[in-house]
Amino acid sequence: GVHLPERLAGAARALKRRRPNWIVTAAIHGPKAARRARGADALLMSPVFPTDSASAKGKKIWRRRGLARGAARATPPVYALGGINSKTINYLENIENVSGAALVSALINRNS
């Protein structure tokens, strides 16, 4: 499979046609990107919470309410990314179409 950055999310549909057995995911940082990512098997919505990640710099934070709105409009399953740790993950429970969360720094930094 392949994970597409937001700037390439529009290629998801064509990529799935060429490689139907691949799992294609796309990063999205706003509602317009979600529409461009049609054809992806899953979306990684980021950043959900404040994070020091370089890829999240300058991006609007979704928070729980924004994540819920974005996930409700998304066709593929959504995974939350950005600022997810042992405390913030609890805020993601019971949000329709949010299938899970991706953790990066929380796995590296044992204090999270």
Side-chain angles (χ1 to χ4, degrees):
V2 65
H3 176 70
L4 302 171
E6 183 179 65
R7 71 182 182 283
L8 298 176
R13 184 176 288 171
L15 186 56
K16 279 299 283 188
R17 277 196 294 264
R18 285 195 314 272
R19 303 280 190 218
N21 295 328
W22 282 15
I23 296 171
V24 177
T25 63
I28 62 168
H29 303 291
K32 289 179 184 177
R35 288 189 292 277
R36 284 194 311 270
R38 287 192 179 111
D41 294 301
L43 303 176
L44 275 75
M45 292 179 68
S46 170
V48 176
F49 300 110
T51 178
D52 291 331
S53 170
S55 65
K57 293 236 186 286
K59 306 286 192 241
K60 183 179 177 189
I61 297 169
W62 289 91
R63 301 205 183 275
R64 181 184 165 87
R65 185 174 294 153
L67 176 66
R69 278 195 308 263
R73 294 181 187 129
T75 302
V78 168
Y79 292 85
L81 176 65
I84 310 294
N85 59 41
S86 61
K87 294 174 184 140
T88 60
I89 200 164
N90 294 323
Y91 292 105
L92 304 178
E93 289 185 49
N94 303 315
I95 301 177
E96 190 173 338
N97 204 34
V98 174
S99 297
L103 293 81
V104 178
S105 59
L107 296 174
I108 297 166
N109 181 357
R110 300 219 181 243
N111 296 326
S112 295

